[in-house]
């Protein structure tokens, strides 16, 4: 049995690194059936790529490594509920299990806004485990956006004073 908490802690560490880089703090860890571990963090700003979500990047890295677009038997740990794009990616990559920390009420496509992975018409089903360390993830996101709003407010004030 996998130690879900320790892998989610790794995902949260990746999320913190994303925040330090000015990215929305989301981190992902993918564990293959054989125990290999891959990590990634959000990087759409850094890479000028709207698809550079943590889930997308970690799955790209793992599929390149194994030489197959299917990651059967894998478990994906994400600090935030995946969006519609990333939920679709989990289906396409045949990820077996998704473990996520915090819900995303504005764009979450697993439980919050959409329930993509619950659609039994699809030919692949993903087991979902949540919440796990949700408060830590939510706290990181709240702090990040609070600081971002304060910076924008300060920048706006400085522009107005010029």
């Amino acid at each position: 049995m996998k130690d879900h908490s320790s892998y989610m802690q790794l995902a949260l560490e990746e999320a913190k690194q994303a925040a330090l880089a000015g990215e929305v703090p989301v981190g992902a860890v993918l564990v293959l059936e054989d125990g290999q571990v891959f990590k990634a963090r959000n990087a759409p700003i850094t890479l000028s790529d709207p698809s550079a979500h943590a889930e997308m990047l970690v799955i790209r890295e793992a599929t390149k490594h194994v030489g197959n677009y299917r990651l059967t038997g894998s478990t994906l740990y994400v600090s935030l509920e995946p969006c519609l794009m990333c939920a679709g990616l989990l289906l396409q990559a045949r990820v077996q299990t998704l473990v996520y920390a915090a819900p995303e009420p504005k764009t979450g496509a697993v439980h919050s806004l959409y329930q993509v992975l619950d659609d039994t018409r699809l030919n692949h089903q993903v087991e979902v485990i949540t919440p796990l360390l949700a408060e830590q993830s939510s706290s990181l996101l709240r702090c990040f956006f609070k600081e971002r709003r304060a910076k924008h407010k300060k920048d706006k004030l400085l522009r107005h004073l010029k």
Side-chain angles (χ1 to χ4, degrees):
M1 177 179 211
K2 291 183 176 118
D3 179 7
H4 295 310
S5 292
S6 66
Y7 288 121
M8 187 60 77
Q9 285 289 356
L10 287 174
L12 288 168
E13 288 303 316
E14 288 294 313
K16 289 174 187 173
Q17 292 302 312
L20 291 173
E23 301 281 359
V24 174
V26 178
V29 172
L30 184 92
V31 181
L32 297 180
E33 198 168 28
D34 66 5
Q36 291 182 81
V37 177
F38 299 87
K39 300 182 289 185
R41 64 187 70 105
N42 262 10
I45 297 166
T46 304
L47 299 176
S48 298
D49 179 356
S51 72
H53 291 195
E55 303 95 320
M56 182 74 72
L57 296 175
V58 80
I59 287 174
R60 283 179 184 161
E61 183 183 347
T63 56
K64 280 183 193 174
H65 180 79
V66 300
N68 191 335
Y69 75 97
R70 291 185 174 180
L71 300 172
T72 56
S74 65
T75 301
L76 178 65
Y77 298 86
V78 186
S79 61
L80 187 65
E81 179 182 2
C83 69
L84 191 55
M85 173 182 69
C86 293
L89 177 64
L90 299 180
L91 293 167
Q92 295 300 319
R94 307 300 195 269
V95 169
Q96 179 178 320
T97 305
L98 165 67
V99 182
Y100 74 85
E104 172 42 287
K106 293 182 180 181
T107 62
V110 177
H111 291 123
S112 297
L113 186 60
Y114 302 105
Q115 296 79 41
V116 172
L117 302 181
D118 289 342
D119 193 332
T120 56
R121 295 172 296 177
L122 299 170
N123 67 343
H124 178 70
Q125 301 299 306
V126 178
E127 175 189 15
V128 179
I129 300 170
T130 192
L132 180 64
L133 305 178
E135 184 49 43
Q136 285 132 304
S137 180
S138 295
S139 176
L140 179 61
L141 287 155
R142 278 192 305 273
C143 289
F144 175 81
F145 284 110
K146 182 178 180 181
E147 288 176 17
R148 182 181 258 184
R149 283 189 298 274
K151 183 184 181 321
H152 285 305
K153 187 175 183 179
K154 180 182 174 185
D155 290 348
K156 185 177 179 181
L157 179 61
L158 290 174
R159 281 193 307 273
H160 181 72
L161 294 174
K162 288 183 180 181

